[in-house]
């Protein structure tokens, strides 16, 4: 990376340390767990039925120890053997699912945080197909062990070296295929987490362009970055307006993936990349949320990370991405309340709040996506506190103009256990965005903030099918939660991968 002289960056620092960490983990499907070489063995246990062979105690003994096999619970059994035995609850056998398996693998890994060589026995995968089961187990194990230690002198926990998966009665080839997919999707999610966890002084918009270029070279997609002068020539007044108060240049980063063979469709992804959001002149209060504003580029991080998976998963669609990157800072040159910005394409926007900046940078990206002639657009942004207040920190708000596309995003969210809930794009709220001096204003009224933000974005997609994920609540977790590690979650990365890999134009 090319860095300005005033940045004090530790030697060897990388904004994406998970690349080397994930490459070092060996996950394999086996027909027998190598107990002699393993530090811990986990066994999945249902709340009903017989205990799996090899569990040395009965259910009464487990119950006396407080273990009832509820989903996501675990109990470490310490015996004379050097290898720890861990029982992991998965709930009733009839409720076995990909999400339960993912959570179980995560619970196992968290129960033995110092173990580096582990094995997991899965007596039954229920009605889940072998590939999906192995993928979910791989994701759960790797994502639960994730830690952002790039700026620490020593890591908090040792890295995983190997994971053996024994899935009773399952075709080994199908399981191995699922593991290969899980390694790719877990790696992509970890990349998104790394980027969002990185401090803003260590990852500026120009750094993000450098990171994207390096990732593109490694994972088979093209990257083109546009600097401030080029953005002026392109008429991207939203991105330029938000950047006006910053000492750091903005970057528009365009990503392009071309599949082998004729594309099944062309999907556009637009990500909000506010590298740090102070609120600008509409300064945020100095509370814990301010500290989290290094993650205001979580949407762009998820889009970029998703691109790292497309070639390795054999995606059949063409996919283009637009990352709208800048920080939002107060200064003598910052944009002001009452200013009017001109978006790409000529529409004018009155600024009523400089902390409603995400939609201003996104409008340029959405117009560029429509100009590229994509079949559909999915945008992802840490956009509104209203989404957090409405749905909490576990569920993203989902809007759209194409129900077919929204349904695909919702299905992907369900499959990856990254919950999203569709909210109505209520058109009668559009008048809240009216302006006396411009075509539209960037802020609505006191209520329905997530909806008016969505309505603002909808103004810039034309007739193109469009879905919008507001991830303000889901971008980070306050504590370890199943496979979600404390800090940036990488939310949306696997949703985008799921939709993009076999995308076809929506009806």
């Amino acid at each position: 990376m090319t860095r300005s002289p005033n940045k004090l960056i530790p030697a060897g620092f990388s904004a994406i340390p998970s690349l080397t960490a994930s490459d070092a983990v060996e996950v394999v499907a086996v027909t027998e767990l190598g107990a002699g070489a393993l530090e811990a063995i986990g066994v999945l246990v249902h709340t009903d039925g017989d205990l799996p062979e090899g569990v040395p105690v009965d259910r009464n003994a487990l119950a006396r120890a407080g273990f009832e096999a509820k989903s996501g619970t675990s109990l470490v059994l310490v015996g004379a053997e050097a290898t720890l035995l861990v029982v992991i609850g998965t709930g009733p056998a009839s409720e076995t699912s990909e999400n339960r398996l993912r959570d179980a693998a995560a619970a196992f890994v968290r129960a033995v945080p110092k173990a580096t060589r582990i094995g997991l026995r899965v007596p039954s995968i229920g009605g889940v197909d072998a590939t999906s089961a192995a993928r979910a187990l791989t994701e759960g194990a790797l994502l639960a062990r994730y830690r952002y230690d790039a700026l620490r002198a020593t890591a908090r926990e040792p890295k995983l070296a190997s994971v053996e998966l024994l899935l009773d009665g399952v075709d080994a080839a199908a399981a191995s295929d699922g593991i290969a997919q899980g390694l790719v999707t877990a790696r992509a999610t970890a990349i998104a987490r790394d980027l969002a966890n990185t401090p803003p002084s260590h990852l500026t918009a120009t750094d993000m362009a450098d990171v994207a270029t390096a990732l593109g070279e490694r994972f088979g997609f093209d990257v083109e970055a546009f600097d401030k002068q080029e953005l002026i020539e392109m008429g991207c007044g939203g991105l330029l307006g938000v950047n006006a108060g910053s000492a750091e240049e903005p970057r528009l980063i365009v990503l392009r993936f071309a599949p082998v063979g004729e594309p099944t469709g062309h999907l556009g992804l637009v990500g909000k990349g506010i590298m740090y959001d102070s609120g600008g002149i509409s300064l945020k209060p100095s509370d814990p949320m301010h500290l989290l504003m290094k993650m205001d580029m979580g949407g762009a991080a998820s889009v970029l990370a998703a691109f790292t998976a497309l070639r390795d998963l054999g995606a059949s669609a063409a996919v283009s991405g637009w990352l709208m990157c800048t920080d939002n800072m107060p200064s003598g040159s910052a944009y002001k309340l009452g200013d009017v910005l001109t978006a790409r394409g000529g529409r004018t926007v009155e600024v009523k709040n400089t902390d409603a900046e995400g939609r201003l940078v996104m409008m340029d990206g959405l117009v560029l996506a429509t100009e590229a002639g994509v079949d559909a657009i999915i945008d992802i942004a840490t956009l509104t506190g209203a989404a957090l207040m409405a749905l909490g920190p576990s569920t993203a708000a989902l809007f759209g103009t194409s129900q077919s596309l929204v349904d695909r995003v919702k299905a992907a969210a369900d499959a990856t256990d990254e919950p999203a809930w569709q909210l109505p794009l209520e058109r009668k709220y559009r008048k809240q965005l009216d302006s006396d001096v411009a075509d539209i204003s960037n802020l609505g009224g006191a209520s329905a903030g997530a909806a008016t933000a969505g309505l603002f974005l909808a103004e810039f997609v034309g007739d193109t099918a469009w879905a919008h994920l507001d991830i303000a609540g889901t971008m980070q977790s306050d504590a370890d939660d199943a496979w979600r590690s404390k800090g940036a979650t990488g939310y949306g990365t696997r949703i985008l991968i799921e939709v993009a890999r076999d995308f076809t134009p929506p009806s």
Side-chain angles (χ1 to χ4, degrees):
M1 294 181 190
T2 303
R3 299 184 181 276
S4 53
N6 63 332
K7 289 185 182 177
L8 300 177
I9 307 297
F13 170 78
S14 170
I16 40 176
S18 288
L19 279 179
T20 54
S22 63
D23 287 350
V25 183
E26 180 184 31
V27 184
V28 294
V30 297
T31 55
E32 183 178 356
L33 293 174
L38 300 178
E39 298 167 50
I41 291 177
V43 181
L44 269 55
V45 176
H46 296 300
T47 54
D48 50 353
D50 295 332
L51 287 176
E53 182 181 350
V55 177
V57 294
D58 60 21
R59 285 196 182 274
N60 288 333
L62 291 175
R64 288 196 300 273
F67 179 78
E68 299 177 349
K70 294 179 180 178
S71 179
T73 60
S74 63
L75 177 66
V76 180
L77 303 176
V78 181
E81 299 295 330
T83 302
L84 294 173
L85 178 64
V86 185
V87 287
I88 305 105
T90 57
S94 61
E95 296 180 8
T96 301
S97 65
E98 290 179 55
N99 293 344
R100 289 281 178 95
L101 294 172
R102 189 182 295 107
D103 287 350
F108 173 41
V109 168
R110 294 203 186 282
V112 287
K114 303 300 182 183
T116 62
R117 304 182 66 83
I118 62 176
L120 179 60
R121 182 184 170 202
V122 185
S124 171
I125 60 173
V128 182
D129 69 88
T131 300
S132 298
R135 180 178 62 219
L137 291 163
T138 302
E139 290 175 346
L142 298 188
L143 292 176
R145 184 57 70 89
Y146 173 90
R147 286 290 183 267
Y148 182 76
D149 289 328
L151 295 170
R152 290 177 176 267
T154 57
R156 285 167 286 181
E157 295 173 355
K159 304 292 186 184
L160 278 177
S162 67
V163 180
E164 295 182 6
L165 296 180
L166 173 57
L167 281 67
D168 292 358
V170 167
D171 178 68
S176 296
D177 185 46
I179 288 171
Q181 293 180 31
L183 285 168
V184 172
T185 54
R187 179 190 66 203
T189 304
I191 289 172
R193 290 177 176 182
D194 283 345
L195 293 171
N197 279 324
T198 300
S201 59
H202 291 58
L203 186 67
T204 65
T206 52
D207 294 333
M208 189 77 159
D210 293 339
V211 169
T213 299
L215 291 174
E217 291 172 353
R218 177 166 178 172
F219 294 110
F221 57 93
D222 295 329
V223 178
E224 189 174 10
F226 297 86
D227 63 20
K228 184 174 182 178
Q229 183 56 46
E230 291 170 312
L231 289 167
I232 293 171
E233 295 167 2
M234 294 169 66
C236 292
L239 186 54
L240 290 164
V242 175
N243 177 254
S246 177
E248 296 284 347
E249 276 212 2
R251 285 294 184 271
L252 161 63
I253 306 166
V254 182
L255 317 175
R256 298 182 180 90
F257 169 78
V260 175
E262 188 68 23
T264 56
H266 186 188
L267 177 64
L269 303 176
V270 182
K272 175 185 172 184
I274 302 297
M275 312 307 291
Y276 182 80
D277 181 20
S278 70
I281 297 297
S282 304
L283 192 66
K284 293 180 183 291
S286 185
D287 61 17
M289 182 57 72
H290 219 315
L291 179 63
L292 296 177
M293 286 302 100
K294 68 178 182 179
M295 300 182 188
D296 210 20
M297 38 65 71
S302 294
V303 171
L304 176 55
F307 270 78
T308 69
L310 298 178
R311 181 193 63 190
D312 291 348
L313 293 179
S316 62
V319 187
S320 298
W322 289 264
L323 313 182
M324 315 307 293
C325 299
T326 179
D327 45 14
N328 181 28
M329 300 295 288
S331 74
S333 61
Y335 74 131
K336 301 167 287 296
L337 281 72
D339 279 352
V340 173
L341 307 179
T342 303
R344 169 81 177 185
R347 186 169 300 215
T348 57
V349 181
E350 180 185 9
V351 177
K352 291 187 176 179
N353 190 314
T354 64
D355 196 23
E357 85 299 328
R359 64 201 72 183
L360 295 175
V361 303
M362 295 291 281
M363 66 185 183
D364 290 332
L366 293 170
V367 172
L368 288 165
T370 63
E371 291 175 354
V374 297
D375 297 312
I377 301 169
I378 301 172
D379 82 66
I380 179 168
T382 50
L383 207 62
T384 68
L388 170 61
M389 295 302 292
L391 298 174
S394 298
T395 303
L398 174 60
F399 297 89
T401 56
S402 164
Q403 192 58 47
S404 174
L405 182 62
V406 167
D407 289 344
R408 292 191 203 183
V409 175
K410 183 64 170 64
D414 292 341
T416 57
D417 194 22
E418 295 192 322
W421 191 263
Q422 184 178 5
L423 295 178
L425 196 67
E426 182 54 68
R427 296 289 177 179
K428 68 182 179 182
Y429 297 148
R430 168 60 181 84
K431 61 185 178 183
Q432 294 184 27
L433 298 171
D434 288 346
S435 167
D436 292 334
V437 297
D439 294 322
I440 192 172
S441 67
N442 77 326
L443 193 69
S447 60
T452 55
L455 287 166
F456 179 92
L457 296 179
E459 294 281 318
F460 297 90
V461 298
D463 295 327
T464 305
W466 165 75
H468 159 58
L469 278 167
D470 188 334
I471 63 169
T474 56
M475 69 173 179
Q476 67 91 35
S477 179
D478 291 331
D480 289 343
D481 172 26
W483 51 269
R484 302 166 189 83
S485 294
K486 182 179 181 180
T489 60
Y491 179 98
T493 303
R494 291 180 302 121
I495 292 175
L496 299 179
I497 292 170
E498 191 77 9
V499 175
R501 61 186 298 185
D502 58 357
F503 172 79
T504 56
S507 57

